[in-house]
Amino acid sequence: MKISIHNWMRAETIEETVNRIAKLGYDSLEIQGSPELYDTKKVKRLLDDAGISCWGSVTLMLELRNLLAKDNKQRADSVQYVKDVVRMVAELDGHMVSVVPSTVGKILPEGKPEEDWKYAVDSMKQVYEYAESVGILLGIEPINRFETYFINRGDQALALAKEVGPKCGVCLDTFHMNIEEDEILPAIRRAKGKLIGFHVADNNRMAPGMGKLDWASIVQTLGEIGYDDVLSVEFCSPLDRTPANPYPNSIDESPKGLSPEQKKFLEDHGSSAVTDEFYTMLTRKSIETLRPLI
């Protein structure tokens, strides 16, 4: 089993990210789903020079991105966006893309359940056909009810994957599972044979080891079901703006290089951007917790 990390959690250049994770001993990067930001040839050289591979990517379903949209053009544009993420990963010699089907932050449905399901299946099939043609696996990711009304649990993601195609799988995330699953370990076991990726953060969405999740049991259960691929670190630390803040140097008051979409995504998930010092601590804590278990 190897250890990867996302790079959407801090406002910084790809060079800064790769330099940090290479020094800390990470095996790969799960690059943020923003293909418009990257020259894949340059990124590939950067990764190769650092001895880091691209594991995959995760879709950033912001603003009008929604595979379930009732509007035909909006839905078509969303399908094209996910295809663009798949293309980016293929050009970086990656393996998978984690797909959140509906808009993050959208908690009220536009249509009836059967309409949502039809649109989701149809849209995912279009992406799946393209992903198959370029050799990239798709994993449908459940996220919690406060971020989407549609796919919240592993069983729901498995049902959608079954409709999409035989190689479509799921990508589970411990933070979301802690909220939505009755029990985490049985939910992992039910994904046996269909687990394409696995995102890790503690129950408080801090780095693994900074909350209450039993990481030894989680990693052991992954081994039991034959998952021997990658653990992708995806913490998104809550930021304390009170005198009780245990990390006084955590908030980056003047982040640079953030697009409006990235800024909103960071604010929605963690309230603000974080400093290099705090982010490095979280990145180090993650690998120090996970490495001995694999």
Side-chain angles (χ1 to χ4, degrees):
M1 206 175 292
K2 296 184 182 298
I3 302 178
S4 186
I5 190 169
H6 292 254
N7 71 316
W8 63 259
M9 297 97 72
R10 182 171 189 269
E12 64 182 15
T13 66
I14 188 73
E15 290 82 5
E16 289 176 288
T17 297
V18 170
N19 182 57
R20 180 190 296 104
I21 66 175
K23 287 181 178 178
L24 292 175
Y26 280 79
D27 301 298
S28 61
L29 174 70
E30 191 161 334
I31 194 166
Q32 70 173 352
S34 302
E36 73 282 359
L37 297 181
Y38 302 115
D39 179 327
T40 51
K41 290 181 179 179
K42 291 182 179 179
V43 173
K44 184 66 168 62
R45 285 196 298 270
L46 177 68
L47 293 172
D48 289 345
D49 289 346
I52 298 289
S53 63
C54 174
W55 167 238
S57 185
V58 58
T59 58
L60 299 184
M61 303 303 283
L62 308 173
E63 305 295 334
L64 295 176
R65 293 171 184 164
N66 184 5
L67 297 179
L68 285 61
K70 295 189 77 170
D71 181 82
N72 292 338
K73 184 179 185 306
Q74 182 184 354
R75 200 165 63 253
D77 288 346
S78 301
V79 167
Q80 185 58 53
Y81 160 71
V82 181
K83 286 183 178 180
D84 289 344
V85 175
V86 171
R87 173 188 50 77
M88 173 181 68
V89 172
E91 291 175 356
L92 292 172
D93 292 337
H95 298 274
M96 57 80 70
V97 171
S98 170
V99 181
V100 175
S102 55
T103 307
V104 176
K106 184 177 179 61
I107 58 173
L108 295 177
E110 292 183 10
K112 298 178 180 179
E114 57 270 23
E115 293 173 326
D116 282 344
W117 190 255
K118 180 182 183 302
Y119 288 143
V121 171
D122 290 348
S123 295
M124 282 297 303
K125 281 185 174 180
Q126 294 177 58
V127 177
Y128 177 79
E129 182 178 353
Y130 175 68
E132 281 281 280
S133 73
V134 295
I136 299 299
L137 296 172
L138 298 180
I140 297 165
E141 182 176 2
I143 63 175
N144 70 78
R145 73 191 76 177
F146 307 109
E147 297 186 54
T148 181
Y149 70 89
F150 187 55
I151 299 288
N152 307 124
R153 295 179 288 104
D155 290 344
Q156 295 170 322
L158 286 166
L160 180 55
K162 184 177 180 180
E163 295 249 7
V164 173
K167 291 185 180 179
C168 187
V170 301
C171 178
L172 300 179
D173 183 307
T174 53
F175 170 74
H176 299 296
M177 294 174 79
N178 181 67
I179 298 172
E180 297 296 346
E181 303 290 354
D182 291 340
E183 294 184 68
I184 289 179
L185 302 186
I188 293 173
R189 294 188 183 102
R190 291 196 296 273
K192 182 178 180 178
K194 302 298 289 185
L195 193 58
I196 301 300
F198 197 78
H199 295 168
V200 293
D202 227 308
N203 65 289
N204 50 7
R205 215 166 193 181
M206 296 289 277
M210 298 179 73
K212 67 177 184 180
L213 294 185
D214 183 346
W215 292 102
S217 295
I218 289 170
V219 172
Q220 181 181 347
T221 303
L222 289 170
E224 289 173 3
I225 68 167
Y227 182 81
D228 192 32
D229 288 318
V230 169
L231 304 177
S232 288
V233 173
E234 195 187 19
F235 55 73
C236 190
S237 54
L239 295 175
D240 192 335
R241 295 179 177 274
T242 76
N245 185 5
Y247 306 106
N249 297 318
S250 58
I251 301 174
D252 187 347
E253 300 291 357
S254 54
K256 299 177 181 178
L258 277 180
S259 69
E261 284 183 345
Q262 288 175 298
K263 183 174 184 293
K264 184 178 187 304
F265 200 69
L266 283 176
E267 289 173 347
D268 287 349
H269 286 72
S271 81
S272 182
V274 297
T275 62
D276 178 80
E277 175 186 354
F278 184 57
Y279 190 73
T280 299
M281 181 276 289
L282 295 167
T283 306
R284 179 181 294 110
K285 177 64 176 177
S286 298
I287 198 164
E288 287 178 349
T289 298
L290 298 170
R291 183 66 78 189
L293 301 176
I294 61 172

